[in-house]
Amino acid sequence: MNSLRTAKRFVFPLLGLWVLLYASFSLVKPPLLDGPDSLQAEAAREMASSGDWITPHLDGVRSFAVPPLPTWLIAASFRVFGVTDWAARLPLAFAALALFLLALSLASRMCLTPVAGFYGALILLTSSGIFLFAHLLFPHLLCTLWITAALFYFWRSLRTPTLRTAIGFALTCALGSLTMGIAGALLPVLIALLFLFFTRNFAHLRRWHPAVIILVFCAAALPWRILAHYANPHHPYLSAIPRPATTPLLLFWDFLLLWLAPWTFFSLAGLSRLSRGLFNRTAHLDCRKQGLLLLTLWLGVTVVWFSIFQRHEFSLLPALPPFAILGATWLAAEEAAPSRYGRVVAWVLFVAGLIKAVTAVVLALRAPFPGFAVDIATLLHLHPGQHQQFFDYLSDLTFASMGAFRIPLLIFAAAVAVGVTANLILRLRGKARLANCFLAGMMAFVLIAAHIALNTFSPVFSSAILALAIRPEVEQGDAVIIDGRYEDASALGFYLRQPIQILSTPAGDLAPGSLATDAPPVFVDHDALAKLWDGPGRVFLWTSPESMPQLPGESYVIARDGGREIVSNEPNNGGATF
C-alpha cells in the first residue's frame, strides 16, 4: 500500500507529459488521412448524424469494415463537441492516458516498487508507436488498453480472486471483442490460461467466479451482435474485418524494437534476465518471477498471434506494454545498483545519436529550402499504388524534399545530441534516474519533430486539403466522384459532408454493402461519368494527372496538392482556394 501511495507522486509529471504530447497540438494536426483514419471518422460522423447506433455506414452504405466500439466513442465525441478533427481523436487520447496509468499501477504491483511503475508508464508515453497510432483512428490502441486492463484484473485476482476482478476481466475482454473482434477477447484468455498452466494453478479458475465471467462477457459482447444480425440479416456483422498480412516477418518483428527505441535496449536487458526455471512447472515462483512469467507470455503470445493473422506495422501495439514493463524492471534495478550494461548502452546511444544528429543537420542545411507554399509532392519520387504499409511512403523521399523538413530535422538533431550526451555523462556519474529523464525529454522532442514532419508530408496521403479547398464551390446536388477506391480519398467524404461516388467496379470496403437493396448508387462506370460531365449539374472528379480518365468535354483543375487534383466540368467560380 505504501508503494502504491508513493507511485502517485509520479502521476503529475506523467500527466503533464501526456498533455504536451497527446492532448494539445497533436489533436488538431495533421488532417485525417485517407484510408482507415478517415473511414473511422466518417462512419462515426454518419452514425452521430443518423442516430443509427447499430449499423455503421460509410458514404450511406452499410459497412462493418469499422469496429463498433471506436465508432460509438467517436460518434459520442462528435455529439458533444461537434464534428472536428480533434473531437475524433479525443477518445484515443484519453485511451492512451488510461493505458499509461494502468502501466504505472501494474508495473508497480508486479515489481513491488513504484519506480518500475513510473518507468513503465514513461516508456509507453514516449513510445513512437503509441504516439503515432494514438493520433490515427485505428482500433489497435484501444485493443491494447483492453488487453492490458484484462491482465491487470487477472494479476490482481491471483492475490485475491474477488468478484470485482472477475467482472473487470470479463468486461474488458468483451470491450476488446467489440474493438478488434476475436483477438481482443481471446488474447488475454490465452495468456491467462498459459500462465496458470506453467504455475500449475488451474484451481484458480474454480475460485475466480467462472460463471460470473461468462455471464458478464456475454451480457456485454453479444447484444450488439444480436441487434446487428437482426438489423442486417443478409449482411456479415462480425466486427474488425481482418486485413491481409503484408509486412515481411523479420521487418514486422523489427517494428517491436523500433516502437520502443531507445528504451528497447533496456527491454531486451529485462528479457535477458529470464531464467530457464521460469517455465519449469515444478519450480516455486515468488511474486517478481510470476510477474516476469506473465510479461513474457503476454509478449510472446501477442507477437505470435499477430505474426500469423494480422501482420501490419501497427499490429504489435498490444505487445508494447509487457515489453515496456520488462524494460522498466531493469531500469528500476539499475537505479539501486548501476550496471556496466547501462554504461555500454549509453556509449552506443551516444555514438549512434551523434551520427544521426549530424546527418539530420547536413540534410536540413544542404538541401535547398523550397519555400512554405510548395506542393510537397513535386519534391518526391512518388510510387502510386505501391504503398502496402504506412512506412512505404518513406521510399518517396528525395534529397530535394529534405529542405521541406528543415525545422523537424533541426529539432530532431538538437534533441538527440543533447539527450544522448546528457545520458552518457549522467550514467557515468551513477545518476541513472536523471539520465533516464533526459532520454524521455529527448524522445518528447523527437516525437514533436516527427509530428511536424507528418503534417508536412500529409498532403501525400490525405485528401483533406483538396476537400477544404473546393468546399466553398461544392453545392447540394453536385456530384463528387473518386477515380479509384473510396478508401483512396475517403477524407473527401468527411470534410465535404456529402455523398461521394466512386468511378470503379464494386470493390473495397463499400463493395459488400453496395449490393443491398437500400444502398445508394455509389459506384459509377465511365459511361455514367460521361453523362454527368455533359449534363447540367456540376461534377468534381478526384484523380491524379497520370491516371485521369478520358472526359467528353472541357475540364478545369479546381485544386491540386499531394500529387492528386480535383477537376471539374465548370471553371472555378472564385470560391475554391487554389
Side-chain angles (χ1 to χ4, degrees):
M1 184 64 73
N2 289 333
S3 63
L4 290 179
R5 277 199 294 266
T6 307
K8 294 178 182 178
R9 294 184 311 168
F10 297 123
V11 169
F12 291 106
L14 294 173
L15 185 61
L17 195 55
W18 171 78
V19 170
L20 172 65
L21 294 177
Y22 293 83
S24 56
F25 65 92
S26 58
L27 287 178
V28 295
K29 292 288 184 179
L32 297 174
L33 311 184
D34 295 322
D37 193 30
S38 53
L39 286 175
Q40 181 67 79
E42 174 60 13
R45 186 191 69 82
E46 294 189 32
M47 180 175 284
S49 176
S50 68
D52 183 355
W53 296 81
I54 302 300
T55 305
H57 289 76
L58 286 170
D59 201 24
V61 175
R62 305 180 192 197
S63 177
F64 289 89
V66 293
L69 185 57
T71 309
W72 294 334
L73 294 174
I74 298 170
S77 181
F78 285 160
R79 282 285 186 92
V80 175
F81 302 108
V83 181
T84 60
D85 295 3
W86 69 265
R89 294 176 173 132
L90 194 61
L92 282 186
F94 281 107
L97 176 61
L99 176 64
F100 304 146
L101 295 178
L102 267 176
L104 172 68
S105 180
L106 183 58
S108 299
R109 293 173 184 274
M110 281 184 167
C111 306
L112 303 179
T113 169
V115 177
F118 168 71
Y119 282 132
L122 185 67
I123 291 172
L124 289 177
L125 256 168
T126 55
S127 158
S128 57
I130 298 292
F131 178 79
L132 174 61
F133 294 106
H135 302 102
L136 299 179
L137 305 183
F138 293 11
H140 296 76
L141 178 67
L142 267 180
C143 186
T144 302
L145 171 63
W146 305 135
I147 291 174
T148 304
L151 293 174
F152 171 80
Y153 284 115
F154 172 69
W155 179 257
R156 291 194 63 182
S157 76
L158 294 174
R159 314 277 84 78
T160 308
T162 62
L163 183 63
R164 181 180 177 181
T165 58
I167 293 173
F169 181 82
L171 186 59
T172 49
C173 287
L175 293 174
S177 75
L178 292 171
T179 300
M180 262 185 64
I182 190 172
L186 195 56
L187 280 175
V189 174
L190 285 176
I191 295 164
L193 290 177
L194 281 173
F195 178 87
L196 296 177
F197 169 78
F198 283 109
T199 56
R200 302 177 68 182
N201 192 20
F202 277 117
H204 175 73
L205 295 177
R206 294 195 302 270
R207 299 190 298 269
W208 199 27
H209 311 283
V212 172
I213 291 177
I214 295 172
L215 287 174
V216 170
F217 177 83
C218 293
L222 293 183
W224 173 78
R225 288 179 166 83
I226 295 171
L227 293 172
H229 172 73
Y230 282 105
N232 307 273
H234 305 295
H235 199 89
Y237 58 91
L238 292 177
S239 62
I241 299 173
R243 301 176 186 273
T246 57
T247 308
L249 188 59
L250 291 179
L251 179 60
F252 178 71
W253 292 340
D254 287 341
F255 277 116
L256 180 64
L257 308 180
L258 173 65
W259 293 144
L260 282 190
W263 309 106
T264 307
F265 291 100
F266 309 118
S267 295
L268 292 175
L271 198 60
S272 68
R273 297 170 64 189
L274 302 178
S275 62
R276 186 175 300 177
L278 202 63
F279 297 94
N280 185 348
R281 298 185 65 209
T282 61
H284 174 73
L285 303 179
D286 59 22
C287 181
R288 284 191 176 88
K289 289 183 179 179
Q290 285 187 11
L292 287 175
L293 175 61
L294 182 60
L295 292 171
T296 306
L297 293 172
W298 182 356
L299 177 64
V301 169
T302 305
V303 170
V304 170
W305 177 279
F306 288 109
S307 295
I308 297 172
F309 295 109
Q310 288 179 283
R311 207 160 60 238
H312 303 283
E313 62 266 47
F314 46 80
S315 299
L316 279 174
L317 257 63
L320 295 186
F323 205 36
I325 296 175
L326 283 169
T329 62
W330 191 90
L331 289 173
E334 190 206 18
E335 275 199 17
S339 68
R340 181 174 179 272
Y341 178 81
R343 295 190 291 273
V344 171
V345 169
W347 276 109
V348 171
L349 291 177
F350 177 73
V351 174
L354 286 188
I355 293 174
K356 292 179 180 179
V358 170
T359 303
V361 170
V362 170
L363 290 174
L365 299 182
R366 295 293 299 274
F369 183 62
F372 293 103
V374 70
D375 181 357
I376 185 67
T378 61
L379 306 175
L380 303 173
H381 180 57
L382 296 174
H383 301 82
Q386 299 182 26
H387 304 106
Q388 299 298 319
Q389 50 191 337
F390 189 81
F391 283 93
D392 284 344
Y393 285 97
L394 296 180
S395 64
D396 296 343
L397 293 172
T398 63
F399 177 74
S401 68
M402 291 296 102
F405 300 96
R406 177 169 295 178
I407 292 176
L409 282 171
L410 292 176
I411 294 174
F412 171 86
V416 170
V418 172
V420 297
T421 303
N423 174 62
L424 175 63
I425 294 172
L426 292 169
R427 269 203 155 75
L428 292 177
R429 294 180 178 178
K431 299 179 180 179
R433 180 176 297 187
L434 196 54
N436 294 329
C437 289
F438 266 95
L439 284 181
M442 175 191 78
M443 282 307 301
F445 281 98
V446 167
L447 295 178
I448 291 171
H451 197 80
I452 296 172
L454 179 63
N455 188 57
T456 303
F457 207 79
S458 63
V460 176
F461 37 66
S462 175
S463 301
I465 294 177
L466 294 177
L468 295 174
I470 69 169
R471 192 161 66 180
E473 291 275 305
V474 179
E475 298 179 356
Q476 193 71 25
D478 291 346
V480 181
I481 301 175
I482 294 173
D483 179 18
R485 301 183 310 163
Y486 182 73
E487 303 91 284
D488 295 337
S490 51
L492 286 179
F494 179 79
Y495 287 101
L496 291 178
R497 314 281 200 267
Q498 80 163 45
I500 306 294
Q501 293 177 292
I502 300 102
L503 181 63
S504 168
T505 55
D509 290 336
L510 298 190
S514 67
L515 303 177
T517 55
D518 61 348
V522 294
F523 290 98
V524 298
D525 56 20
H526 288 271
D527 291 337
L529 173 63
K531 291 179 181 179
L532 289 170
W533 204 265
D534 281 337
R538 190 167 188 188
V539 180
F540 295 87
L541 177 66
W542 177 97
T543 186
S544 63
E546 298 81 14
S547 62
M548 189 168 73
Q550 194 74 25
L551 298 172
E554 290 289 334
S555 62
Y556 304 90
V557 177
I558 305 300
R560 180 185 293 127
D561 200 25
R564 288 85 62 88
E565 61 187 18
I566 301 286
V567 297
S568 178
N569 58 346
E570 296 180 13
N572 184 6
N573 293 325
T577 55
F578 171 66

